[in-house]
């Protein structure tokens, strides 16, 4: 059910994204920056989207929300929420889904709340934008939500301005805001990156608890594999605007397939082994303009061979629950083109 | 809050003191008022000495300044050399027209600059934005007296829609207020545009969109509200410039205001009138800036007047 190749969405898939392509419109030729992204998020589960900055993970989430920056366009693809196609909805219908069916938490809790309004007013606005309730009822709901996310003295904090709260508290407020209308899908874009490690753990714990209580699905965007291991059910790894690997979370850590994923995992320090130099992946992510044919990771890949540099790999299914965009998993290509075999 | 206001009042006293020094000595560089008064005839030395003594100009200059300052503290602005009228009553008669003109000019500037600046920012990079920016540029580049003369030529002389000069009816306000306001709206719309652009890039705007709010709600409630903070500061500072502008505009439109009174007094070397007029203009500017500072704590919850920000 994780694999995009299954055209029919099995029941229980809340979100089905297929072949998403985001581009910068340019006069001669559009520059594609997110290319052929497909994934599904089952109801009540968490999908982790992992990648370096610039890999297109945030753009993917903004596309799902329907709030791509004006200078970008959705070139093609399909997004279905509960079976309803979103890409063809009118902007007004799409807008009404935001904050109600799907909500988003952003990376920077320090700047994602409006500094000019009390936090309660910002939650009240969210509630009243989608529910026909009085101001007093919405305020009650705001306090209730603040309590739910574990904010002490919620009755007082509701009248605080964002600058009166710490980063961790603000992120709790953001979560309270996002969940105020009990959305079925929560997109969390690096929700803990800007926070202290201890606060990070609390926030992740909170998200897990609320997911169990409210039953929503979560897309968790992060560059932190530790966060993925703790919270996600399934993972997609993004590189240079593409998904290069998808797997169940246990499998990804136990048996990473794509050389890029392996590189990412190797560059996490291990508490038990002493190393002088922490391994890193040499080079940087290619820019969309410089991407030619061939595997986009080939220039940085320790296992690349000539064939990789000239031919773009498709997503190759490795087993029932995992797939990788890597020629190493195509036995025919390996047999015919891999130096180990051709030399023999 | 009370402490903050007290401190600002203390600042105001210092500002007024410095202004009093500057205006007192600089006006004396323009020449001898007695010579202007006797410009028509050939007075005897006795007559000149008498008048000089009568006006108090025979005293050493520091003594003259001391007397001026002493009177100022008791809100006595002195009497006009020319007419013998008290300067206070002259100021009282002209301050109304000037304040009304400045307020009308500010209103015109706001009514033009906010829509232009907001549309420019929201439709960044489009023809509308280009038009808005051209408007700003023209507004900034135009000398206001020239614009005033052009408006008189077109709307008063050629079309006859509005009176060319004078004071009294609402129609009299139209041309001078537009002249003042258009010039200010050029620079103000530019500021509104850049503040809006900065604010619209903020993360909380993305949050507001993610709540499913209508675009105009996001732009006005979440965008403009925050863009107002730098804009209002600027308008406070600019109010001084606006008052300075009225000095010229009043001349062009024969507006019976403080500015024209000061210009006439400078020409006549009527020292007390110039000093009194300038001091009052300075007081108005200081008062407006104090009001702007107080409005901060309303607009921006992160700033509490008094500086007791946590």
């Amino acid at each position: 059910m994780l694999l995009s190749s299954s055209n029919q969405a099995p029941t229980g898939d809340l979100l089905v994204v297929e072949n998403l392509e985001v581009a910068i419109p340019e006069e001669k030729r559009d520059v594609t920056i997110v290319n052929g992204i497909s994934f599904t998020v089952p109801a009540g589960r968490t999908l982790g989207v992992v990648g370096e900055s610039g890999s297109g993970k945030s753009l993917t989430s903004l596309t799902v929300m329907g709030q791509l920056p004006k200078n970008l366009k959705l070139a093609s693809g399909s997004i279905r929420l509960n079976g309803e196609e979103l890409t063809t909805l009118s902007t007004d219908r799409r807008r009404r889904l935001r904050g109600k069916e799907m909500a988003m938490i952003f990376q920077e809790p320090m700047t994602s709340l409006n500094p000019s309004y009390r936090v309660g007013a910002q939650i009240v606005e969210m509630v009243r934008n989608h529910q026909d309730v009085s101001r007093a009822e919405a305020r009650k709901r705001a306090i209730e939500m603040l309590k739910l996310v574990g904010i002490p003295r919620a009755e007082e904090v509701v009248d605080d301005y964002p600058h009166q709260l710490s980063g961790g508290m603000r992120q709790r407020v953001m979560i309270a805001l996002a969940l105020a209308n009990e959305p079925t899908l929560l997109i969390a874009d690096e929700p803990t990156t800007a926070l202290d490690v201890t606060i990070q753990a609390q926030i992740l714990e909170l998200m897990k608890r609320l997911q169990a209580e409210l039953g929503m699905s979560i897309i968790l965007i992060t560059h932190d594999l530790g966060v993925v291991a703790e919270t996600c059910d399934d993972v997609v790894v993004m590189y240079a605007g593409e998904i290069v690997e998808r797997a169940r979370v246990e499998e990804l850590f136990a048996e990473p397939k794509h050389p890029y994923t392996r590189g990412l995992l190797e560059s996490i320090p291990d508490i038990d082994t002493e190393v002088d130099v922490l391994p890193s992946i040499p080079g940087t992510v290619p820019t969309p303009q410089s991407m030619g044919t061939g595997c986009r990771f080939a220039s940085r890949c320790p296992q690349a061979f000539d064939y990789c540099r000239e031919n773009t790999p498709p997503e190759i299914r490795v087993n029932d629950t995992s797939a990788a965009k890597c020629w190493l998993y195509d036995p025919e290509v390996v047999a015919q083109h891999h130096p180990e075999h051709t030399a023999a | 809050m009370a402490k903050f206001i007290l401190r600002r009042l203390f600042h105001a006293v210092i500002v007024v003191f410095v202004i009093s020094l500057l205006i007192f000595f600089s006006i004396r560089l323009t020449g001898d008022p007695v010579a202007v008064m006797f410009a028509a005839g050939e007075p005897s030395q006795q007559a000149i000495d008498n008048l000089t003594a009568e006006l108090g100009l025979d005293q050493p200059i520091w003594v003259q300044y001391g007397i001026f300052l002493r009177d100022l503290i008791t809100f006595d602005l002195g009497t006009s050399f020319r007419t013998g009228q008290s300067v206070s009553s002259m100021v009282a008669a002209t301050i109304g027209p000037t304040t009304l003109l400045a307020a009308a000019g500010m209103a015109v500037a706001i009514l033009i600059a906010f829509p232009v600046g907001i549309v420019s920012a929201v439709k960044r990079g489009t023809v509308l934005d280009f038009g808005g920016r051209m408007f700003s540029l023209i507004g900034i580049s135009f000398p206001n007296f020239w614009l005033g003369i052009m408006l008189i030529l077109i709307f008063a002389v050629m079309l006859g829609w509005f009176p060319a000069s004078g004071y009294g009816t609402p129609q009299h306000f139209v041309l001078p207020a537009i002249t003042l306001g258009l010039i200010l709206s050029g620079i103000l719309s530019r500021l509104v545009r850049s503040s809006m652009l900065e604010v619209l890039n903020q993360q909380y705007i993305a949050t507001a969109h993610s709540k499913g709010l209508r675009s105009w709600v996001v732009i006005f409630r979440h965008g403009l509200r925050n863009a107002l903070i730098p804009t209002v500061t600027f308008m406070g500072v600019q109010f001084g410039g606006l008052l300075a502008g009225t000095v010229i505009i009043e001349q062009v439109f024969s507006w019976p205001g403080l500015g024209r009174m000061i210009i006439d007094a400078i020409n006549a070397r009527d020292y007390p009138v110039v000093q009194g007029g300038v001091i009052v203009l300075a007081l108005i500017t200081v008062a407006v800036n104090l009001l702007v500072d107080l409005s901060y704590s309303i607009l921006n919850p992160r700033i509490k007047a008094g500086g007791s920000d946590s």
Side-chain angles (χ1 to χ4, degrees):
Chain A
M1 85 187 141
L2 187 62
L3 292 171
S4 63
S5 46
S6 57
N7 267 341
Q8 204 74 46
T11 48
D13 278 350
L14 176 78
L15 180 75
V16 179
V17 171
E18 279 173 354
N19 275 317
L20 219 56
E21 200 177 305
V22 178
I24 310 172
E26 303 235 316
E27 270 176 40
K28 285 178 191 160
R29 193 174 60 92
D30 293 354
V31 178
T32 306
I33 44 181
V34 168
N35 190 14
I37 298 291
S38 304
F39 58 81
T40 61
V41 186
R45 304 248 283 186
T46 302
L47 172 75
V49 179
V50 187
E52 293 172 71
S53 39
S55 62
K57 51 195 197 309
S58 291
L59 279 180
T60 305
S61 61
L62 288 176
T63 311
V64 173
M65 284 297 285
Q67 49 183 111
L68 266 183
K70 272 188 204 151
N71 55 339
L72 302 176
K73 66 166 190 190
L74 179 64
S76 67
S78 150
I79 304 165
R80 289 195 301 279
L81 185 75
N82 272 324
E84 188 185 17
E85 177 62 51
L86 304 186
T87 53
T88 52
L89 282 184
S90 71
T91 42
D92 200 51
R93 292 276 309 280
R94 193 78 192 273
R95 173 179 68 74
R96 283 168 211 269
L97 290 177
R98 282 201 292 272
K100 187 163 192 287
E101 292 299 320
M102 44 168 70
M104 189 157 177
I105 303 170
F106 297 92
Q107 175 172 354
E108 283 293 337
M110 306 313 259
T111 55
S112 50
L113 290 166
N114 192 322
S116 295
Y117 296 101
R118 297 173 197 281
V119 298
Q122 302 191 41
I123 301 176
V124 165
E125 182 186 43
M126 175 75 147
V127 173
R128 284 176 40 101
N129 193 42
H130 297 285
Q131 297 179 40
D132 190 18
V133 295
S134 71
R135 206 166 278 278
E137 282 173 89
R139 186 184 154 87
K140 231 192 254 169
R141 174 76 179 150
I143 295 172
E144 195 182 299
M145 286 310 296
L146 292 176
K147 282 182 180 158
L148 187 69
V149 297
I151 288 181
R153 304 182 296 108
E155 289 87 352
E156 290 164 41
V157 172
V158 75
D159 288 324
D160 276 349
Y161 285 100
H163 73 271
Q164 294 169 289
L165 304 174
S166 68
M169 280 297 157
R170 279 187 230 187
Q171 200 60 303
R172 282 173 195 267
V173 170
M174 261 315 284
I175 294 173
L177 177 74
L179 300 183
N181 294 317
E182 303 201 354
T184 49
L185 176 68
L186 174 68
I187 302 179
D189 187 354
E190 306 259 11
T192 57
T193 306
L195 304 174
D196 287 345
V197 183
T198 48
I199 310 290
Q200 274 187 20
Q202 289 174 16
I203 295 288
L204 292 176
E205 230 9 83
L206 172 70
M207 285 175 56
K208 273 202 306 203
R209 175 168 68 79
L210 293 175
Q211 183 177 33
E213 280 175 36
L214 307 173
M216 73 235 172
S217 304
I218 299 178
I219 298 179
L220 184 74
I221 292 154
T222 181
H223 67 277
D224 187 338
L225 287 162
V227 170
V228 170
E230 272 178 61
T231 49
C232 298
D233 300 302
D234 306 305
V235 191
V236 295
V237 179
M238 287 190 70
Y239 182 79
E242 295 182 329
I243 291 179
V244 294
E245 175 163 357
R246 62 181 79 235
R248 302 296 303 272
V249 70
E250 314 81 42
E251 198 178 354
L252 187 92
F253 285 93
E255 219 184 306
K257 307 288 182 312
H258 198 281
Y260 176 64
T261 315
R262 282 206 287 272
L264 282 182
L265 287 170
E266 276 163 20
S267 53
I268 301 174
D270 185 344
I271 200 159
D272 297 322
T273 27
E274 215 171 279
V275 286
D276 290 332
V277 181
L278 196 62
S280 64
I281 307 172
T284 52
V285 183
T287 60
Q289 285 83 356
S290 71
M291 288 171 201
T293 51
C295 174
R296 291 181 176 180
F297 187 59
S299 63
R300 302 171 72 188
C301 180
Q303 286 164 284
F305 45 102
D306 288 345
Y307 192 81
C308 299
R309 285 179 259 277
E310 279 140 34
N311 302 279
T312 310
E315 190 168 291
I316 299 166
R317 216 164 157 146
V318 182
N319 57 38
D320 280 353
T321 50
S322 66
K325 207 171 224 166
C326 177
W327 286 120
L328 290 173
Y329 297 93
D330 184 330
E332 263 178 50
V333 170
V334 172
Q336 282 172 29
H337 302 280
H338 199 277
E340 272 179 34
H341 295 271
T342 48
Chain B
M1 188 65 125
K3 206 175 134 193
F4 173 76
I5 295 176
L6 268 180
R7 203 169 62 208
R8 292 305 305 259
L9 286 177
F10 178 67
H11 287 175
V13 169
I14 293 175
V15 167
V16 170
F17 173 72
V18 172
I19 298 271
S20 75
L21 261 178
L22 286 174
I23 189 62
F24 182 88
F25 288 101
S26 62
I27 185 65
R28 273 158 180 78
L29 297 175
T30 58
D32 185 0
V34 178
V36 176
M37 288 179 168
F38 285 124
E42 284 210 2
S44 63
Q45 189 56 42
Q46 184 60 39
I48 291 175
D49 290 347
N50 284 347
L51 188 57
T52 306
E54 196 188 317
L55 298 179
L57 296 171
D58 55 340
Q59 308 270 7
I61 193 153
W62 286 107
V63 175
Q64 288 182 42
Y65 180 66
I67 293 167
F68 166 58
L69 213 53
R70 186 198 65 201
D71 292 348
L72 192 59
I73 289 166
T74 58
F75 297 104
D76 176 3
L77 296 173
T79 50
S80 163
F81 285 174
R82 265 192 311 175
T83 61
Q85 254 185 301
S86 91
V87 175
S88 302
S89 68
M90 290 173 76
V91 167
T94 51
I95 195 168
T98 293
T99 315
L100 284 176
L101 177 58
M106 191 56 110
V108 169
I110 289 170
L111 283 176
I112 296 171
F114 274 86
V116 169
I118 292 170
V119 168
S120 233
V122 172
K123 301 284 174 196
R124 183 185 192 176
T126 64
V127 179
L128 284 174
D129 181 22
F130 182 75
R133 282 157 67 195
M134 282 310 288
F135 171 81
S136 297
L137 195 63
I138 292 171
I140 292 165
S141 320
F142 266 32
N144 54 8
F145 64 88
W146 185 83
L147 180 66
I149 292 167
M150 285 300 118
L151 288 179
I152 291 177
L153 194 64
I154 296 169
F155 293 101
V157 178
M158 287 163 68
L159 297 171
W161 290 357
F162 301 105
S165 66
Y167 178 74
T169 68
Q171 282 87 333
H172 282 105
F173 273 90
V174 176
L175 294 183
I178 288 177
T179 308
L180 260 182
L182 264 183
I183 300 297
L184 180 60
S185 71
I187 188 156
L188 188 60
S189 66
R190 218 165 133 140
L191 185 83
V192 170
R193 177 181 182 271
S194 65
S195 312
M196 275 302 277
L197 277 180
E198 195 185 320
V199 166
L200 291 178
N201 269 325
Q202 297 292 318
Q203 188 73 68
Y204 55 76
I205 296 297
T207 304
H209 279 297
S210 79
K211 290 161 112 175
L213 300 171
R214 290 171 198 279
S215 299
W216 66 264
V217 175
V218 176
I219 290 166
F220 286 92
R221 198 185 291 163
H222 290 270
L224 186 61
R225 169 70 193 259
N226 286 289
L228 274 181
I229 297 167
T231 312
V232 168
T233 318
F234 174 82
M235 279 161 54
V237 174
Q238 210 55 33
F239 194 79
L242 197 68
L243 282 177
T246 61
V247 174
I248 296 159
I249 299 299
E250 285 177 4
Q251 208 61 26
V252 173
F253 288 94
S254 308
W255 193 264
L258 208 50
R260 204 173 62 143
M261 180 192 86
I262 293 173
I263 296 281
D264 290 348
I266 290 173
N267 288 334
R269 291 175 199 156
D270 194 345
Y271 296 169
V273 176
V274 177
Q275 289 162 185
V278 169
I279 294 277
V280 168
L281 279 181
L283 279 174
I284 296 174
T285 309
V286 167
V288 166
N289 277 290
L290 179 62
L291 282 178
V292 167
D293 285 354
L294 290 176
S295 73
Y296 276 173
S297 51
I298 299 166
L299 278 175
N300 186 354
R302 281 165 295 183
I303 294 172
K304 285 275 166 280
S308 60
D309 193 16
S310 58

